[in-house]
Amino acid sequence: MRMFSYVRATARNLVRRGKVERDLDDELRGYVELLTAEKVGEGMTPDAARRAALVESGGVEQTKEEVRDARAGARLEALRRDVRHTVRGLGRSPGFALAVVCTLAIGIGLNSALFTLVYSVLARPLPVRDADRIVNVYQRLQSGGPRGRDVRGSSSFLSLAEFESYARVPAFASAAVYHPQGLTVTGGENRVVQSELVSCGYFRTLAVPIAIGRGFSDDECAHPGAGRVVVLSHAAWAARYGGDSSVIGRAIQVNGLPLTVIGVAERGFNGISFQRASMWVPVTMQPTLEHGRDSILVHSNASWLTMVARLARGATLEQARTQAAVTAERLDAAEPGRRTIPVVVRGAYFNFPDVSSQGAVPIALTLLLGFTIVAMACANVMNLLLARGLARRREIAIRLAIGAARRQLVQQLLIESGVLALAGAVVGMGFVLALPPMIRALLPAGDMQLDVSPNLRVIAYVFLVAAAATVLVGLTPALQTTNVDLASAFKGTATFGKRQLRPSRIRSAIVGVQMAGSAMLLVMAGLFLRGALHATVTNPGYATRNVVAFSTNAAPLGYDDERAAVVYRELMDHIRRTPGVVDVALAAQLPLLSRNTGSVRVEHGTDSVVYNVDVAVVSASYFHTMDMRIVRGTTFDTASSSADERPVVISSSLAARLWPNDEPLGRRLQSGSRWFHVVGIASNAAASSLSRAAEPVVYFAAASPLERQIVVRTSNSPATLTATVPTWARALDPALLVESERFEDRIALVLLPARLIAASTATLGALALLLATIGVAGVVSFGVGQRRREVAVRLAIGATAQQVVALMMRQGSRPIFVGIGTGVLIAAGLAHLVRGLLFGVSPLDPIAYVAMASVLALGGFLATYLPSRGAALIDPASTLRDDG
Amino acid sequence: MSIRIAEQTKLLQGTLDLLILKALALGELHGLAVSRRIEQMTAGTFQVKPGSLFPALHRMEEAGWLVAKWGESESNRRAKYYRLTAAGRKQFEVETGEWNRISLAIAAALRTT
């Protein structure tokens, strides 16, 4: 009650200040009038009565002041006055205010935008109810897991059997798994629909209501092929079935199978995979949907499912971890040699353990970049505040002299930097707000559900950074500015307390930090640029231009090998006859982006050695199509092949490793249980990464075209081909869909991170260098100003203009050299960590270092030379006379 | 003997609050009337000056013990009238009890030899 009325009063006093003041004024005036009337009533003359009343009342203004002090929110009011005073003060130097606010806005804004990005990808709760109770369950398998584990996506994913074990953990109220997959829907308009194969507790676990119809029942997941049913997303239902509820109970053709639509999920729910899902099918339908060709569902030694669970009421994440560890021990006991570390984490899109190990470097780099940006901005603002503080020394000295407490002045200066940081944060929020449209523009429209809109946590972060910036930026200048020796301040000579750092020292240190930051950013930028350039100019070992790959949905449509062979032959003949086509081949996939690895065993006398290799499955014409050479031997066609020994082609790098001193042709190697013999040696090519051009590769012959891509190289642009191949396919079978991918697009995608990082570090580095240069120039010209007399004396006793300029430059150059040196060392250390993104360029690439060091040195030279020239222009006679 | 509360605000703030509550317990009054009532009740011992009266009135209003509204004085002048709220009445009882306890205790203390 009392609290409430106090809060109400505070609000009234702050918000309706004008009325409250007028009321007080009226009340006190009324008091004096009543008192006067009283005295007139006692027989005094009106004039005398009024005078007496005023005297008796004491000072009216003083009374008002006391009422104001007693009022609720008096402290807030005082703060408000200080803030208003500050804002008015800043309004008098709009240039300064604008420079500081803009600098801080860039620093805080970019930093917050990078934070938002990292947070959204790694930690933002999933878009479901009570998302803070949702966890993901993964496992880390010692030494990559048991031999022969079938890994799809990440080795930390689970098999169905493993999920069923973990699902029994008592701390989980409910659990489910999902696996994102594209399914072909035919009938009417044919298309590949992004879907999720899910266990039947999926909607229950995520607490996603079913808008129409029903969700999955448990018996629909009872055994493989049990539930021929599908749940649609609300968006897909509205777009493809016109929002018609009679679709419930109807069958639709999915991968050639009739599945009954049983429900439509809640509006706005698009699954919890990174790619928006439009359909959900029981996971137990997996082998059926693949027409029996792939039954990973029943393999217990496989990683393909992502598990989500909802914590039971009262259960904690810790309990879930402990209990999952018990389950893992049971799994290990059942399988000798297996060692499992379960990973239970709060639910998010990208939180599987691989992300934290593989993604750690880019993430750390992003956050470091964000930190550097804000540090650079703060350093610059601090420099500006120090300069402003020097200019205000007289004002501060006067206020101290007339009795202001130092604490009060420091508080006021901190309020100033707080106001500036807050304004910077508010303007900087623009960067955070610009993030969602930017991401939408960069990512394929509609596909990804990366939500980067600011939420409360993001906003809290922005203001936290602003608060940190306030202290970081404001404290040193505030303490510095208010620590003045009154006598010397009034005389106009700049002397400082004995135990105090000279402001020029602090400014030199700041300049050093800025130079280090810009050196680090620029060297990194140089390395990334070199890397991206290197990757585009060096030969990866195959053609990259005018190569296009076509993939079809023949496998999901249920084609058998025979029918696929007919259709593919037809298509490839068509393509081969098209003018401009150099050659056509089959391949499991184009190089780069994803990696297909395996191991081969060879016998050296009595020893057998196992090698890890990259695996490619291709047709004979692949090498010519990709413009690779068969260095020795032949490709598959002309080689004699028996039933139990098949031909393989290996890369020259593998040949050199397997049989360094012997003839590799005709040698045998074992893969899985089968023996192969080497018929040809292919030129080296970068299989999985542009930075590793000489990886060992084994090329197996593609037997069936099913699940293969048609790879084509043309002599000019393949644009017409990408347009016509789908129509040829439709003519062969209306349900047959063809997608094309240009190899150049894939390479651009591979190079995108390096290019993005190069562009952003270069921009920021240049910005930082500019700021640092201005800072250096400021410090040097300040030094020149302070040492006027000394310079004048030197000039008077015969020093040349060059000598004094050099003297001045020496003073400014130390922080520059120290800064550049430190920055380059940091960059060299970081570069070793991000070697993978440099595409084979050495982390100590001399060109990048020398080029960037020259840019930095030039910047530093100009920043010291230009202001130092002022020293040469000093006229000794007049200077010594004036100051003498 | 008269005491000017303004000079001893700290010591007697609780006393002033209690006197104001007492003054208003009988009905609504404006500022000057409150100070006159206190003078009258204490036989002129306490003279409350505006410098301490008004801060106290405003503070107590903000605490929710009093409500203020504008009205006409007996001499047809606009004046702000204060009235006890239910919370104010309760506060009056509490403070009266408190005061009685303290004054008894102090009186007892002074009696001991």
Side-chain angles (χ1 to χ4, degrees):
Chain A
M1 174 67 199
R2 187 163 171 192
M3 195 61 217
F4 173 68
S5 103
Y6 183 80
V7 169
R8 199 179 45 190
T10 308
R12 182 195 64 192
N13 291 343
L14 290 178
V15 177
R16 309 187 57 193
R17 220 163 57 96
K19 185 180 176 326
V20 169
E21 278 296 310
R22 263 199 314 281
D23 259 20
L24 179 60
D25 195 50
D26 285 353
E27 186 176 16
L28 292 181
R29 195 147 8 91
Y31 177 89
V32 174
E33 279 172 19
L34 281 168
L35 197 58
T36 312
E38 199 183 79
K39 295 199 184 298
V40 170
E42 285 165 7
M44 292 174 87
T45 65
D47 272 358
R50 183 161 181 79
R51 227 175 359 256
L54 281 173
V55 170
E56 209 180 304
S57 309
V60 172
E61 280 311 313
Q62 200 185 332
T63 304
K64 277 190 193 172
E65 206 46 60
E66 293 198 23
V67 172
R68 280 183 204 125
D69 283 348
R71 254 186 219 152
R75 282 233 186 120
L76 276 177
E77 179 57 35
L79 183 68
R80 195 171 110 138
R81 266 203 301 272
D82 275 353
V83 170
R84 271 168 59 114
H85 179 79
T86 304
V87 171
R88 230 179 293 129
L90 289 172
R92 276 196 292 271
S93 38
F96 165 79
L98 194 71
V100 171
V101 170
C102 284
T103 312
L104 285 176
I106 293 173
I108 297 175
L110 282 178
N111 176 290
S112 304
L114 290 175
F115 166 81
T116 309
L117 199 61
V118 171
Y119 163 77
S120 297
V121 171
L122 295 180
R124 187 184 283 266
L126 294 168
V128 296
R129 270 177 203 81
D130 295 327
D132 53 330
R133 302 292 293 164
I134 296 282
V135 296
N136 286 117
V137 182
Y138 304 104
Q139 55 186 11
R140 231 193 295 243
L141 296 170
Q142 215 66 14
S143 65
R147 290 176 72 90
R149 191 172 175 90
D150 189 349
V151 173
R152 314 237 172 126
S154 161
S155 63
S156 62
F157 294 164
L158 310 180
S159 70
L160 190 67
E162 285 162 348
F163 155 65
E164 281 162 356
S165 303
Y166 286 116
R168 284 195 287 271
V169 161
F172 298 148
S174 170
V177 281
Y178 64 93
H179 174 74
Q181 185 163 342
L183 298 176
T184 301
V185 176
T186 48
E189 203 185 333
N190 305 329
R191 64 174 82 216
V192 175
V193 175
Q194 189 59 38
S195 317
E196 280 176 340
L197 303 182
V198 300
S199 62
C200 288
Y202 178 82
F203 292 109
R204 189 168 57 236
T205 304
L206 297 176
V208 171
I210 301 296
I212 308 168
R214 62 173 180 90
F216 301 117
S217 67
D218 285 336
D219 53 319
E220 276 157 349
C221 286
H223 56 87
R228 300 197 165 220
V229 291
V230 57
V231 172
L232 301 175
S233 79
H234 198 280
W237 174 63
R240 260 173 255 147
Y241 303 96
D244 178 4
S245 47
S246 75
V247 76
I248 308 291
R250 227 194 285 161
I252 59 174
Q253 294 288 321
V254 178
N255 277 15
L257 298 169
L259 300 188
T260 308
V261 179
I262 55 166
V264 174
E266 180 191 31
R267 188 195 198 106
F269 179 71
N270 297 299
I272 50 175
S273 319
F274 200 46
Q275 278 198 306
R276 217 173 275 271
S278 300
M279 256 174 20
W280 295 272
V281 176
V283 69
T284 39
M285 288 298 291
Q286 190 269 338
T288 323
L289 288 167
E290 300 294 335
H291 303 279
R293 265 190 303 269
D294 173 13
S295 42
I296 191 169
L297 179 76
V298 295
H299 294 173
S300 57
N301 192 16
S303 295
W304 66 299
L305 295 167
T306 310
M307 174 167 171
V308 278
R310 185 174 288 277
L311 291 177
R313 192 182 294 272
T316 63
L317 193 60
E318 272 318 308
Q319 284 168 350
R321 282 181 179 144
T322 321
Q323 293 167 3
V326 175
T327 305
E329 272 170 33
R330 245 197 334 266
L331 289 172
D332 290 348
E335 202 177 328
R338 173 179 165 138
R339 240 171 68 60
T340 314
I341 302 161
V343 179
V344 183
V345 285
R346 294 220 174 278
Y349 286 123
F350 273 110
N351 56 359
F352 47 96
D354 294 15
V355 168
S356 36
S357 56
Q358 290 170 12
V361 166
I363 292 163
L365 201 67
T366 309
L367 291 178
L368 182 81
L369 204 62
F371 172 75
T372 313
I373 295 159
V374 89
M376 293 285 101
C378 282
N380 219 50
V381 168
M382 198 162 142
N383 224 335
L384 285 172
L385 284 176
L386 276 173
R388 185 173 152 89
L390 282 177
R392 268 166 48 172
R393 282 167 53 79
R394 236 169 210 281
E395 177 204 329
I396 300 281
I398 290 171
R399 292 175 68 177
L400 282 171
I402 60 175
R406 185 171 173 216
R407 207 178 59 84
Q408 221 174 344
L409 288 179
V410 169
Q411 184 186 324
Q412 234 166 54
L413 289 170
L414 278 180
I415 285 176
E416 183 181 86
S417 40
V419 165
L420 290 167
L422 200 66
V426 169
V427 178
M429 273 300 281
F431 286 90
V432 178
L433 292 176
L435 203 57
M438 224 172 74
I439 292 293
R440 267 200 299 280
L442 278 175
L443 291 179
D447 263 8
M448 308 287 178
Q449 34 180 353
L450 178 61
D451 178 10
V452 289
S453 57
N455 63 6
L456 269 181
R457 263 180 229 198
V458 169
I459 291 169
Y461 177 84
V462 173
F463 286 102
L464 197 75
V465 174
T470 303
V471 177
L472 194 69
V473 153
L475 199 58
T476 308
L479 292 176
Q480 173 78 46
T481 308
T482 53
N483 186 7
V484 284
D485 172 18
L486 291 183
S488 68
F490 285 122
K491 275 190 300 188
T493 50
T495 50
F496 295 88
K498 277 212 180 72
R499 304 181 56 199
Q500 191 195 0
L501 281 170
R502 303 221 327 254
S504 58
R505 281 266 178 83
I506 300 179
R507 295 183 69 183
S508 291
I510 295 173
V511 162
V513 170
Q514 281 181 307
M515 284 311 274
S518 36
M520 184 188 88
L521 289 169
L522 284 176
V523 170
M524 295 296 281
L527 285 171
F528 281 119
L529 278 174
R530 285 270 299 150
L533 262 173
H534 182 77
T536 42
V537 298
T538 52
N539 183 6
Y542 40 67
T544 54
R545 292 176 54 80
N546 299 334
V547 172
V548 63
F550 297 97
S551 47
T552 75
N553 61 340
L557 281 179
Y559 277 42
D560 54 17
D561 287 344
E562 219 168 301
R563 191 164 164 218
V566 172
V567 168
Y568 270 71
R569 197 182 315 124
E570 194 85 10
L571 274 178
M572 287 168 77
D573 282 348
H574 256 299
I575 294 169
R576 203 171 285 121
R577 280 199 301 273
T578 309
V581 168
V582 177
D583 206 347
V584 188
L586 288 173
Q589 56 177 316
L590 286 173
L592 308 176
L593 268 194
S594 65
R595 187 167 196 191
N596 196 1
T597 55
S599 58
V600 292
R601 203 168 67 85
V602 293
E603 283 168 351
H604 287 295
T606 50
D607 292 350
S608 80
V609 189
V610 176
Y611 286 92
N612 289 322
V613 292
D614 276 67
V615 171
V617 182
V618 299
S619 70
S621 53
Y622 177 79
F623 303 100
H624 181 238
T625 306
M626 292 303 284
D627 201 14
M628 293 164 64
R629 283 173 303 115
I630 295 292
V631 193
R632 311 198 38 206
T634 67
T635 174
F636 309 118
D637 299 279
T638 47
S640 59
S641 64
S642 62
D644 51 9
E645 267 196 31
R646 299 138 202 276
V648 285
V649 173
I650 62 174
S651 65
S652 4
S653 54
L654 182 61
R657 199 180 297 177
L658 294 182
W659 299 284
N661 308 314
D662 297 317
E663 169 61 51
L665 287 180
R667 294 275 178 173
R668 285 164 20 114
L669 55 85
Q670 193 186 25
S671 170
S673 57
R674 286 181 177 153
W675 282 98
F676 297 81
H677 69 272
V678 178
V679 296
I681 313 292
S683 55
N684 282 334
S688 64
S689 160
L690 282 174
S691 51
R692 290 189 292 264
E695 273 166 313
V697 187
V698 177
Y699 299 90
F700 294 102
S704 160
L706 263 186
E707 308 202 39
R708 308 272 174 258
Q709 296 185 318
I710 301 175
V711 180
V712 185
R713 179 157 61 98
T714 53
S715 51
N716 43 29
S717 163
T720 41
L721 211 55
T722 54
T724 48
V725 171
T727 56
W728 293 336
R730 236 183 331 239
L732 292 168
D733 177 354
L736 197 61
L737 302 175
V738 174
E739 278 175 16
S740 58
E741 183 193 7
R742 281 154 42 93
F743 197 27
E744 278 139 286
D745 293 345
R746 179 175 278 216
I747 289 176
L749 197 62
V750 168
L751 292 179
L752 186 68
R755 284 194 174 142
L756 271 181
I757 297 175
S760 49
T761 45
T763 312
L764 292 168
L767 205 67
L769 181 60
L770 184 71
L771 295 179
T773 310
I774 295 169
V776 172
V779 170
V780 174
S781 62
F782 183 76
V784 171
Q786 274 194 319
R787 292 170 71 177
R788 282 174 69 84
R789 277 171 59 89
E790 181 199 332
V791 171
V793 170
R794 282 172 189 270
L795 285 171
I797 59 174
T800 65
Q802 273 166 340
Q803 279 170 327
V804 296
V805 169
L807 180 75
M808 291 296 112
M809 284 181 70
R810 245 196 322 276
Q811 170 187 324
S813 56
R814 242 190 66 193
I816 299 179
F817 285 123
V818 174
I820 294 179
T822 317
V824 166
L825 283 179
I826 297 175
L830 283 174
H832 276 277
L833 294 177
V834 296
R835 231 168 328 179
L837 284 169
L838 297 179
F839 302 108
V841 169
S842 156
L844 295 173
D845 177 61
I847 296 179
Y849 283 84
V850 169
M852 288 308 163
S854 321
V855 170
L856 288 159
L858 181 69
F861 172 78
L862 289 178
T864 48
Y865 175 68
L866 295 179
S868 294
R869 256 185 346 175
L873 302 175
I874 290 172
D875 172 19
S878 67
T879 304
L880 291 173
R881 192 172 55 235
D882 287 351
D883 287 1
Chain B
M1 181 198 78
S2 75
I3 298 169
R4 302 187 65 180
I5 293 184
E7 286 150 18
Q8 309 190 22
T9 314
K10 259 205 182 125
L11 178 66
L12 290 171
Q13 193 183 55
T15 325
L16 178 60
D17 285 7
L18 184 55
L19 287 172
I20 291 175
L21 289 169
K22 170 74 183 169
L24 290 172
L26 300 172
E28 59 174 25
L29 294 172
H30 56 68
L32 182 61
V34 171
S35 104
R36 288 286 174 262
R37 174 70 58 78
I38 289 173
E39 235 177 287
Q40 179 203 336
M41 287 189 309
T42 61
T45 309
F46 286 94
Q47 285 180 1
V48 191
K49 291 290 164 193
S52 39
L53 175 69
F54 285 104
L57 284 173
H58 281 247
R59 188 166 35 73
M60 290 163 78
E61 191 225 326
E62 286 175 349
W65 299 340
L66 314 179
V67 282
K69 73 168 201 296
W70 288 97
E72 294 272 306
S73 78
E74 55 275 22
S75 50
N76 294 330
R77 280 183 174 80
R78 228 164 78 84
K80 206 173 183 183
Y81 281 82
Y82 292 89
R83 182 166 51 79
L84 282 192
T85 61
R89 255 170 230 295
K90 218 174 117 203
Q91 183 67 19
F92 178 45
E93 281 164 28
V94 170
E95 286 201 15
T96 309
E98 199 96 314
W99 176 262
N100 285 338
R101 249 170 7 99
I102 290 170
S103 58
L104 278 175
I106 290 180
L110 294 179
R111 266 199 307 276
T112 55
T113 49

